[in-house]
Amino acid sequence: MKAFFAQLRRRWQTPLMLAAGFLPAPLMLCAFLAPQAPWSGVPAALAYVCAAWVCAAVAGRRRLLTGALGAMAIVALGLAALPWRDAPVLLAIPALYAFLLLMGLPAGGELPPAYPCVGLGLHVAAQIAADVGARAGGMQEGVLWALRGTFVVFGVMGLLALNRASLKDAAVKGSPAPLTVRRKNLLLTLALGAAALFIACLPAVARLCERVWHAALAALGRLLRWLSELFAVEPAAETGGAPAAMDMQGAAAGAPNPFWEILEKIVVALGAVAAAVFAALLLRLVWKRMRRWLRALAERLRRFVRAASEDYQDEIADTREGGSRSRLFRRRARGRDLLRGVDAAKLAPRERVRFYYLCARLRRPDWTDTQTAREHLPADAAEIYERARYSPHAVSEVDAGTFERRVR
């Protein structure tokens, strides 16, 4: 069961992308040919996703049997849900998803790039047809929102697929990319997709903000009217009193109400206190962020000064095609003699890691110049060396000690 979920975790995105990419076909066919049941093609798509996930997680010859059973289940569900007797063309919907399921079996769920391109073309054609149908008044609003939602899902899954393909192409000798690189690429891909979606939805976001503002103003007006009605002073009943009494009532009615004066002062005081608290919290937040940024800037300046002022021996390489990689110390015996006078404890952690790696290279003559650190070091030690050699990230004392123990 653990292996099942491990395989599913690696391959769940492709079936979802293809289901969302080809979903405009059943939506538009049902919207035009079976307007009384516009969602009857969705169960076949959901059955395809579930069957593709199961097939992607099953290994060996059982995948073929599982795929055949899944295709039959998709066709049976389509026959039960679709009104195909009135429009036999609707039978193409379960046939399409059964075809996608069977074509994805040899690659364990991975399909050639032609299938996502066809899905993109279907989305473009569906948007054009939906616009024409909406102007004619024969397109349901729910179908339009479903098309937009499935396009968003298809776009995000497509970006993730392109990210996986680029990482696979950039990997050295088939080895997987480091976990940190995969996480950063995933975050950058999702951020790019979110930014593109936000830019595309700016007009709708502006209309939503305008509606929220008007709704807030209307709610505030209703609240004020309710308060005024709650504390309103009812007029006294007319009596046959003297005119002097009527004059006194008129003067009393014209005088300001003490309750409203006190309530106004309380509201003003509460507003001033709330504004002061908000300003204090904002200043505190800004001060914390400024301190963090200043510390990061000072750390970067210290690293720059240390890197610019230290003198150390580095590797000399010929990057021309056919050139051979050479070191400053061509003879290992001479290199050992020179390195004996180096005090590793006085070196920075980054330079200490590189010093330990140089010592290990000199001790092992079987390590050739064409090999990389990942080919003859443990995974954790190779990650520390690559961070110290190629990246600007900090290397701690603990990393240097761990690397020394791993290369002994």
Side-chain angles (χ1 to χ4, degrees):
M1 186 61 66
K2 185 177 180 180
F4 178 88
F5 285 106
Q7 293 287 340
L8 181 60
R9 188 173 62 251
R10 289 195 297 267
R11 299 174 179 177
W12 66 273
Q13 297 180 8
T14 302
L16 187 60
M17 178 185 68
L18 292 180
F22 284 84
L23 193 60
L27 286 177
M28 299 308 295
L29 284 176
C30 293
F32 286 107
L33 299 179
Q36 72 280 2
W39 309 104
S40 56
V42 177
L46 296 178
Y48 160 73
V49 173
C50 297
W53 282 349
V54 175
C55 293
V58 173
R61 296 183 178 180
R62 292 178 297 175
R63 183 184 301 162
L64 181 60
L65 177 60
T66 306
L69 294 176
M72 289 189 291
I74 293 172
V75 173
L77 188 60
L79 291 175
L82 290 166
W84 56 273
R85 293 179 179 84
D86 300 332
V89 182
L90 298 178
L91 292 176
I93 296 174
L96 171 65
Y97 282 107
F99 173 78
L100 290 178
L101 179 64
L102 295 177
M103 289 297 101
L105 292 180
E110 294 290 341
L111 291 176
Y115 291 88
C117 293
V118 173
L120 181 60
L122 286 176
H123 270 283
V124 173
Q127 291 296 331
I128 296 174
D131 184 66
V132 174
R135 292 180 180 179
M139 182 62 63
Q140 298 182 9
E141 187 70 18
V143 176
L144 297 177
W145 282 105
L147 287 174
R148 295 164 187 161
T150 53
F151 181 73
V152 171
V153 175
F154 175 72
V156 172
M157 294 295 107
L159 288 177
L160 294 179
L162 292 176
N163 180 44
R164 292 196 305 272
S166 63
L167 286 177
K168 185 178 179 180
D169 293 339
V172 180
K173 295 183 179 180
S175 59
L179 180 61
T180 55
V181 174
R182 295 201 300 270
R183 288 178 177 175
K184 289 180 180 179
N185 276 32
L186 178 62
L187 292 177
L188 288 175
T189 303
L190 293 178
L192 176 63
L197 181 62
F198 178 76
I199 293 173
C201 297
L202 275 180
V205 171
R207 290 194 298 268
L208 177 62
C209 294
E210 185 178 0
R211 291 180 181 178
V212 170
W213 173 252
H214 289 308
L217 291 180
L220 181 60
R222 288 194 295 268
L223 177 62
L224 293 178
R225 284 195 300 271
W226 178 74
L227 289 175
S228 63
E229 293 174 358
L230 180 64
F231 298 103
V233 179
E234 296 183 359
E238 295 184 0
T239 59
M246 293 181 60
D247 293 339
M248 291 183 66
Q249 289 179 1
N257 194 340
F259 172 77
W260 289 109
E261 292 182 356
I262 296 173
L263 183 61
E264 181 181 2
K265 293 179 180 179
I266 292 175
V267 170
V268 171
L270 290 177
V273 172
V277 171
F278 178 75
L281 292 177
L282 183 61
L283 289 176
R284 184 170 177 268
L285 179 62
V286 171
W287 172 245
K288 283 186 176 181
R289 291 296 179 90
M290 288 296 297
R291 287 179 59 187
R292 189 181 306 171
W293 292 338
L294 290 176
R295 282 198 299 266
L297 180 60
E299 180 62 26
R300 287 180 178 271
L301 290 176
R302 282 195 296 269
R303 288 205 302 264
F304 173 76
V305 172
R306 185 168 60 249
S309 58
E310 287 182 353
D311 294 328
Y312 55 89
Q313 303 294 337
D314 200 355
E315 296 177 356
I316 301 176
D318 187 359
T319 58
R320 296 172 296 178
E321 185 176 357
S324 61
R325 189 165 177 254
S326 61
R327 302 186 64 86
L328 182 62
F329 308 111
R330 293 182 178 274
R331 296 183 180 180
R332 298 180 182 273
R334 182 186 174 192
R336 293 192 190 97
D337 294 337
L338 291 175
L339 292 179
R340 287 195 186 99
V342 178
D343 188 3
K346 295 183 179 179
L347 296 176
R350 182 184 299 273
E351 307 309 324
R352 200 182 310 161
V353 169
R354 301 179 65 180
F355 174 78
Y356 292 149
Y357 181 75
L358 179 59
C359 294
R361 287 290 305 272
L362 294 176
R363 288 196 304 267
R364 293 174 174 81
D366 56 332
W367 290 4
T368 62
D369 293 335
T370 58
Q371 293 176 331
T372 62
R374 285 194 172 271
E375 295 179 354
H376 43 64
L377 287 181
D380 53 348
E383 193 273 333
I384 295 174
Y385 175 75
E386 290 176 353
R387 179 150 38 97
R389 178 69 178 86
Y390 302 107
S391 73
H393 299 291
V395 180
S396 62
E397 296 285 345
V398 177
D399 294 334
T402 304
F403 186 82
E404 180 184 8
R405 290 191 301 270
R406 298 293 286 170
V407 298
R408 282 180 181 175

